[in-house]
Amino acid sequence: MMHRPPPDDYSLKETKPHLGGGKITGDKLTSTYDLVEQMQYLYVRVVKARELPSKDVTGSCDPYAEVRLGNYKGTTRHFEKKTNPEWNQVFAFSRDRIQSTMLEVSVKDKDLMKDDFMGWVLFDLTEVPKRVPPDSPLAPQWYRLEDRKGMKLKGEIMLAVWWGTQADEAFPEAWHSDAATVGGADALANIRSKVYLSPKLWYLRVNVIEAQDLMPTDRTRFPEVFVKAGIGHQALRTRVSMSKSINPMWNEDLMFVVAEPFEEHLILSVEDRVAPNKDEALGMCVIPLQYVDRRLDHKPINSRWFNLEKHIVIDGEKKKEVKFASRIHMRICLEGGYHVLDESTHYSSDLRPTAKQLWKNSIGVLEVGILSAHGLSPMKTKDGRATTDAYCVAKYGTKWVRTRTIIDSFTPKWNEQYTWEVFDPCTVITIGVFDNCHLQGGDKGNGARDSRIGKVRIRLSTLEADRVYTHSYPLLVLHPSGVKKMGEIHLAVRFTCSSLLNMMHMYSQPLLPKMHYIYPLTVTQLDSLRHQATQIVSMRLSRAEPPLRKEIVEYMLDVGSHMWSMRRSKANFFRIMGVFGGLIAVGKWFDQICNWKNPITTVLIHILFLILVLYPELILPTIFLYLFLIGVWYYRWRPKNPPHMDTRLSCADNAHPDELDEEFDTFPTSRPADIIRMRYDRLRSISGRIQTVVGDLATQGERLQSLLSWRDPRATALFVIFCLIAAIVLYVTPFQVVALLTGFYVLRHPRFRHKLPSVPLNFFRRLPARTDCML
């Protein structure tokens, strides 16, 4: 199947933004924010006031400051009964939206009916100084309050007013004029840019060895004992011990994911299955994780005996029974040599082991400028009109960043720049765009969830070092109705390599830490551990302030990407066909050579073949030279852009509506029985085809094995005799002669060929496979 190029609308577009204010010196830009467009802001820092006049009957005042610029107005918090308030708040007004030449800073007295005006200070915007980091911050000054007629009043206010950019230290914590409509401190915290760190995750290995002196209630039967272990929401159990005695053995490993700081204890319970659905607890023990040994390599740590406590109920109260203690023998450790996977292995942004002592040096720095977005889809309705309050989240390694929310705009401009240390080039940064549904303070409608607008992934190894990539990426999302473009995000990306030698050396290293290969975890284990890790990360980040919500973390970590879908299965099938396509093309080309479709090419191949047979030492150099020339030839067509989502490759643009409905169905399903029956039948027919292909591949492999297995005594006898004759012939005949005869036979002219399959092929097809043993 040929993949047609994707529609222009879905493709990546190179852009030429005016980065870093255009100040370029040599290769580097002078500004610290050199990957974003400069945005000008008027900053007003309101520090404090003194000797304010008392307005109330009580002889005091409840002062607050109001900063007004044209239609925009920001206010500080107010203090009750205080004539010397300290606010220390910063206000930022975007230059693009300023429609006034005067800035007013007034002090008012909070009143029940109408707030009293206590005086103001006016600034002409043309007189305001500019500040460019890394200059020191502008020192605030005392200004005397005036009335509306310009007369001096009692009381002073301390202020600093300056023009700056988003590189200013005051920028992240400032009140922004863009957010003038947002009310409440909670909502303001929800729209600011923030950096979050994933919790440090460990694998906890609990090796349950044996128990001693268990005391079952019923002494007349053999106990069927197993161990149940749990931490938080994770619960695992061993198999029932084969030694049905009061000293059972297991020697079984249970693996959990835990995060620092350790909040939950490991709780173990030894249970006896007294009836099919009835278990009796024979004892339990609680182990705090702070005291568990940490293991950095494959060397086993010492095992320990733990006492099992038994609780008995006396007068409705649980009490410990301490007459006689049963014991359990275990080896428990926190594994520091593994990398705890919380992302899909295809899109991992970090592959380092948990223990910091095992980390290698960083090989470079990744810088990302999140510039802007345009053409965003309306995500909700507010006051009867469609709107979008967009923000971005980027995740690489353990560091998550969240830009500020731009209120009510389909073309938001963030122009924020972030930096990450890089430890492995074969990693992926994920950048997602979301609509903020939590602006009016806390639980708006309780079930409000931030909606996904789309995401972009960039693999660092596909970027040239030290080059700034500025592209507009389409935000493509799959909906039950099909693939939809939700807008475009404009990014500037630069991967700077600190040591080329170190980076080249990384390519020779295994992808995951050593422990994954010495003591590998099973696929099922990895699946359930990854699920637990994503749950822990999303729970911890949703408890930050402001929270990075569960739906965002799960979308960024690709939770649910392992679910079966018809579309993805088709896409993977076509990918396999694409890989085999190259081999098939080589096979067809060779067949045309053998059949003399183009006599000149065939004659040239004969000459090349003759040279290689007469000078066999040239075979390997010729192959490598040919590969070198192909590589150099393809350099002209090397990709200039990073790879991005391809709707055609994903089979998203021509997916059947029912297949999409199936992909978006819940698990377990929530669809009616007749649809389930139809889907099940379809799944059976497709799985039948897959099963046949896999079976055919297995058959060919088994036929190769049966050449020497004497499963077919006559075929193996023939093959063994053939091998003996071939060995004798090859021993007495020069290799060149054999090679020449074989080559000329393979390349013989069509008039010397039969239409029927060749003897070796017939012999191979007649060999037995294990299909005869299949039920």
Side-chain angles (χ1 to χ4, degrees):
M1 174 181 161
M2 284 292 289
H3 286 305
R4 299 183 302 279
D8 220 22
D9 207 28
Y10 289 174
S11 61
L12 201 63
K13 299 180 189 75
E14 192 158 2
T15 58
K16 294 198 169 17
H18 195 60
L19 297 183
K23 296 193 287 285
I24 300 175
T25 53
D27 292 335
K28 294 280 177 189
L29 292 130
T30 53
S31 163
T32 47
Y33 271 51
D34 61 343
L35 286 188
V36 288
E37 296 184 31
Q38 268 198 9
M39 296 171 79
Q40 297 290 325
Y41 285 90
L42 176 72
Y43 287 99
V44 183
R45 182 183 289 281
V46 182
V47 185
K48 55 187 173 181
R50 67 184 177 193
E51 296 172 10
L52 294 176
S54 52
K55 290 277 179 180
D56 292 356
V57 188
T58 57
S60 184
C61 61
D62 308 334
Y64 70 91
E66 182 181 280
V67 182
R68 186 187 283 274
L69 187 60
N71 297 330
Y72 295 110
K73 178 182 81 173
T75 56
T76 65
R77 60 195 179 280
H78 80 279
F79 288 100
E80 288 191 13
K81 301 189 173 31
K82 205 165 188 189
T83 52
N84 298 323
E86 284 196 26
W87 297 289
N88 206 11
Q89 281 177 251
V90 183
F91 298 84
F93 297 88
S94 170
R95 187 166 204 155
D96 299 348
R97 300 193 180 185
I98 292 177
Q99 296 167 344
S100 170
T101 55
M102 294 298 283
L103 167 73
E104 304 169 10
V105 182
S106 46
V107 180
K108 295 190 175 180
D109 178 23
K110 189 98 178 145
D111 222 331
L112 283 172
M113 302 298 289
K114 185 173 184 286
D115 296 349
D116 295 324
F117 174 81
M118 300 171 76
W120 68 6
V121 182
L122 299 180
F123 293 88
D124 185 342
L125 296 193
T126 54
E127 302 292 318
V128 171
K130 275 194 176 147
R131 180 197 167 225
V132 181
D135 287 359
S136 298
L138 199 68
Q141 296 178 37
W142 285 107
Y143 293 89
R144 191 74 177 270
L145 293 175
E146 300 175 354
D147 64 11
R148 295 191 198 277
K149 292 175 184 163
M151 300 295 288
K152 298 286 183 209
L153 296 169
K154 188 188 172 197
E156 291 179 300
I157 186 165
M158 186 184 262
L159 300 170
V161 182
W162 72 97
W163 287 110
T165 66
Q166 75 271 39
D168 207 294
E169 295 91 337
F171 181 77
E173 292 307 315
W175 172 95
H176 285 271
S177 55
D178 314 4
T181 54
V182 177
D186 287 355
L188 273 174
N190 243 315
I191 65 171
R192 288 197 172 126
S193 53
K194 280 282 178 288
V195 173
Y196 302 84
L197 289 174
S198 288
K200 188 176 185 181
L201 300 175
W202 294 79
Y203 284 143
L204 175 73
R205 188 188 293 271
V206 181
N207 176 217
V208 184
I209 303 169
E210 58 182 329
Q212 262 185 10
D213 305 328
L214 296 179
M215 298 178 70
T217 321
D218 183 359
R219 303 287 174 90
T220 59
R221 52 179 281 281
F222 292 117
E224 295 185 23
V225 188
F226 62 92
V227 177
K228 216 156 62 173
I231 297 178
H233 298 298
Q234 305 172 68
L236 294 173
R237 63 202 307 173
T238 64
R239 65 188 185 280
V240 171
S241 172
M242 299 305 286
S243 47
K244 301 195 172 184
S245 69
I246 59 165
N247 299 324
M249 299 265 304
W250 294 279
N251 201 15
E252 200 173 324
D253 272 357
L254 304 175
M255 295 285 283
F256 299 91
V257 180
V258 290
E260 282 190 71
F262 303 122
E263 294 175 349
E264 280 122 357
H265 298 327
L266 171 66
I267 298 169
L268 286 129
S269 155
V270 180
E271 312 218 345
D272 178 14
R273 179 155 296 156
V274 289
N277 287 322
K278 191 176 173 215
D279 301 327
E280 179 191 67
L282 301 180
M284 66 185 296
C285 69
V286 177
I287 300 161
L289 299 183
Q290 291 88 308
Y291 310 119
V292 169
D293 293 328
R294 299 177 180 206
R295 180 167 90 154
L296 305 185
D297 50 25
H298 58 280
K299 297 186 187 96
I301 60 150
N302 296 329
S303 58
R304 281 178 58 197
W305 286 95
F306 296 87
N307 286 341
L308 290 169
E309 296 167 354
K310 196 168 182 185
H311 293 276
I312 50 171
V313 179
I314 303 172
D315 305 331
E317 272 187 49
K318 258 192 182 183
K319 292 202 175 163
K320 264 187 217 169
E321 189 178 26
V322 284
K323 275 186 280 182
F324 178 79
S326 311
R327 301 191 303 163
I328 186 163
H329 190 198
M330 290 187 295
R331 187 179 277 116
I332 303 177
C333 65
L334 288 162
E335 295 278 11
Y338 288 94
H339 169 68
V340 180
L341 290 158
D342 58 344
E343 304 165 284
S344 162
T345 38
H346 302 301
Y347 311 124
S348 280
S349 63
D350 184 20
L351 301 159
R352 290 170 294 169
T354 298
K356 269 197 169 162
Q357 300 93 305
L358 303 176
W359 288 6
K360 304 264 190 332
N361 292 335
S362 74
I363 55 157
V365 169
L366 169 68
E367 296 162 280
V368 177
I370 300 173
L371 303 174
S372 59
H374 57 270
L376 294 184
S377 299
M379 298 304 291
K380 57 178 179 256
T381 51
K382 201 193 287 175
D383 306 328
R385 61 190 180 82
T387 180
T388 298
D389 305 320
Y391 66 92
C392 295
V393 173
K395 187 225 188 275
Y396 183 79
T398 54
K399 177 175 161 185
W400 299 67
V401 301
R402 168 182 173 153
T403 67
R404 66 193 192 286
T405 302
I406 305 290
I407 309 294
D408 196 9
S409 171
F410 300 129
T411 54
K413 286 187 179 177
W414 293 285
N415 283 308
E416 293 182 29
Q417 184 170 334
Y418 297 97
T419 307
W420 286 268
E421 263 191 305
V422 176
F423 292 87
D424 193 316
C426 302
T427 44
V428 176
I429 181 169
T430 307
I431 297 144
V433 187
F434 301 89
D435 174 52
N436 198 331
C437 294
H438 296 83
L439 295 183
Q440 305 316 317
D443 309 312
K444 198 185 89 179
N446 236 359
R449 290 164 65 89
D450 288 357
S451 329
R452 312 162 173 182
I453 299 178
K455 73 178 160 195
V456 171
R457 293 192 199 97
I458 302 168
R459 186 172 291 275
L460 270 56
S461 60
T462 62
L463 306 176
E464 291 172 27
D466 296 322
R467 179 182 155 192
V468 177
Y469 288 83
T470 50
H471 287 91
S472 201
Y473 296 79
L475 294 166
L476 304 174
V477 174
L478 194 66
H479 288 287
S481 54
V483 73
K484 189 179 173 193
K485 182 177 170 184
M486 307 291 282
E488 291 186 9
I489 182 170
H490 193 187
L491 301 173
V493 180
R494 176 172 57 212
F495 170 40
T496 312
C497 168
S498 52
S499 161
L500 188 65
L501 208 64
N502 274 358
M503 185 156 79
M504 291 308 192
H505 174 63
M506 285 304 297
Y507 280 88
S508 69
Q509 300 298 301
L511 210 56
L512 288 163
K514 209 159 57 175
M515 280 291 282
H516 286 267
Y517 304 97
I518 297 174
Y519 283 124
L521 302 167
T522 64
V523 175
T524 346
Q525 258 182 329
L526 278 173
D527 256 7
S528 84
L529 290 171
R530 188 192 155 209
H531 173 71
Q532 298 301 345
T534 53
Q535 293 301 307
I536 289 172
V537 171
S538 69
M539 192 178 74
R540 287 281 175 100
L541 292 179
S542 65
R543 278 166 36 191
E545 192 51 56
L548 196 61
R549 296 174 193 281
K550 192 169 188 273
E551 63 268 23
I552 291 146
V553 176
E554 290 188 349
Y555 182 56
M556 297 290 284
L557 293 178
D558 275 302
V559 172
S561 60
H562 61 281
M563 291 293 284
W564 185 85
S565 97
M566 181 74 83
R567 174 191 62 81
R568 220 178 266 125
S569 302
K570 270 195 212 165
N572 286 338
F573 174 72
F574 289 131
R575 281 170 61 202
I576 290 175
M577 293 309 291
V579 170
F580 284 133
L583 295 173
I584 293 162
V586 170
K588 282 181 179 169
W589 171 80
F590 189 69
D591 194 49
Q592 287 173 355
I593 297 289
C594 294
N595 285 305
W596 295 69
K597 287 282 191 313
N598 186 339
I600 297 164
T601 315
T602 308
V603 169
L604 286 171
I605 291 290
H606 272 85
I607 294 164
L608 176 68
F609 172 66
L610 203 61
I611 293 165
L612 292 178
V613 169
L614 295 176
Y615 304 101
E617 64 275 9
L618 294 178
I619 293 174
L620 280 173
T622 307
I623 290 170
F624 285 116
L625 181 68
Y626 180 62
L627 292 172
F628 166 76
L629 291 170
I630 289 176
V632 171
W633 180 252
Y634 279 165
Y635 182 75
R636 296 164 57 190
W637 293 289
R638 69 192 186 282
K640 296 283 196 295
N641 304 334
H644 68 291
M645 312 283 183
D646 185 341
T647 52
R648 207 137 274 143
L649 180 71
S650 315
C651 292
D653 52 353
N654 53 8
H656 190 275
D658 182 66
E659 290 173 11
L660 289 172
D661 181 63
E662 179 180 30
E663 190 168 336
F664 283 92
D665 188 7
T666 54
F667 184 84
T669 181
S670 55
R671 298 290 182 267
D674 52 337
I675 291 178
I676 305 302
R677 183 177 286 113
M678 180 272 287
R679 285 179 185 167
Y680 176 60
D681 289 343
R682 179 177 64 194
L683 183 59
R684 282 171 68 192
S685 70
I686 291 201
S687 303
R689 274 183 256 164
I690 293 168
Q691 173 183 299
T692 308
V693 171
V694 172
D696 288 348
L697 287 170
T699 299
Q700 307 312 325
E702 286 163 1
R703 281 178 179 160
L704 272 173
Q705 288 174 334
S706 66
L707 280 171
L708 292 168
S709 71
W710 295 91
R711 182 73 269 181
D712 177 341
R714 281 158 297 280
T716 303
L718 278 170
F719 183 66
V720 168
I721 293 163
F722 167 76
C723 288
L724 177 68
I725 295 166
I728 294 165
V729 170
L730 289 170
Y731 193 69
V732 298
T733 319
F735 171 73
Q736 280 96 332
V737 176
V738 176
L740 277 174
L741 290 172
T742 311
F744 285 140
Y745 174 74
V746 170
L747 295 167
R748 69 196 183 280
H749 200 273
R751 79 170 57 130
F752 303 117
R753 291 177 184 276
H754 292 293
K755 294 285 182 206
L756 296 172
S758 64
V759 173
L761 199 61
N762 292 334
F763 178 76
F764 183 73
R765 282 179 181 163
R766 287 171 174 277
L767 289 168
R770 301 185 66 185
T771 41
D772 310 340
C773 307
M774 295 281 287
L775 278 173

